[in-house]
C-alpha cells in the first residue's frame, strides 16, 4: 500500500532554513509527480510545490525564490528545502501523490518564530 512519511520539521528562526523529506513506498515512485502542501491553523490547505516525474518544478507564489523541491528516485524520496523562512510559513506540511486517489503523509510541523 502507498505510504508517505515526512520528516525534518521543527522550529526555525525568521530568515532560517529547514529541509523536509518524504519517503515514499508502495508505488513506482519515479513515474509520479510529487507535491508538497501546507495548512496553517484556520486556513485551507495550499499547494506549495510540485515536481513532475521528469523533474520539472512549480511553486506557489508565496514561496517562489525561497523554497526548492527536489527528488531522488533511487531513494524514493522527495525533499523541500525551505530558505529565508518567515513566520507566515508556519504550518503543517504534507507530502502528496495522486494516483487516481490522493495519498497523504502524516504531516510535519514547521514553526517559524523568534
Amino acid at each position: 500500500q502507498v505510504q508517505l512519511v515526512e520528516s525534518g520539521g521543527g522550529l526555525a528562526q525568521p530568515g532560517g532554513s529547514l529541509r523536509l523529506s518524504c519517503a515514499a513506498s508502495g508505488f513506482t515512485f519515479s513515474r509520479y509527480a510529487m507535491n508538497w502542501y501546507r495548512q496553517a491553523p484556520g486556513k485551507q490547505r495550499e499547494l506549495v510545490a510540485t515536481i513532475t516525474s521528469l523533474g520539472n518544478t512549480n511553486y506557489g507564489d508565496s514561496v517562489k525564490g525561497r523554497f526548492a523541491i527536489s527528488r531522488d528516485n533511487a531513494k524514493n524520496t522527495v525533499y523541500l528545502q525551505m530558505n529565508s523562512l518567515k513566520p507566515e510559513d508556519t504550518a503543517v506540511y504534507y507530502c502528496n501523490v495522486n494516483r487516481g486517489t490522493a495519498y497523504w503523509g502524516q504531516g510535519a510541523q514547521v514553526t517559524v518564530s523568534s
Side-chain angles (χ1 to χ4, degrees):
Q1 84 237 33
V2 173
Q3 283 195 319
L4 301 172
V5 180
E6 298 100 339
S7 60
L11 176 65
Q13 291 190 337
S17 298
L18 286 172
R19 188 175 84 152
L20 300 179
S21 300
C22 172
S25 61
F27 63 103
T28 307
F29 178 78
S30 61
R31 293 183 181 176
Y32 290 89
M34 298 296 297
N35 307 297
W36 284 100
Y37 283 78
R38 69 185 181 186
Q39 188 165 21
K43 295 189 176 181
Q44 288 190 331
R45 194 170 293 191
E46 66 169 337
L47 179 62
V48 174
T50 297
I51 186 165
T52 70
S53 60
L54 297 178
N56 297 314
T57 59
N58 197 22
Y59 299 93
D61 287 342
S62 61
V63 305
K64 280 181 183 176
R66 300 188 298 121
F67 289 13
I69 188 171
S70 61
R71 65 191 299 158
D72 185 335
N73 290 337
K75 295 183 178 179
N76 287 358
T77 300
V78 60
Y79 304 97
L80 185 68
Q81 178 67 44
M82 304 182 291
N83 299 325
S84 301
L85 283 163
K86 303 176 181 181
E88 51 263 43
D89 295 318
T90 295
V92 179
Y93 285 71
Y94 296 92
C95 181
N96 161 266
V97 64
N98 292 303
R99 300 177 65 241
T101 299
Y103 294 90
W104 300 90
Q106 82 284 359
Q109 177 68 49
V110 171
T111 302
V112 183
S113 175
S114 55

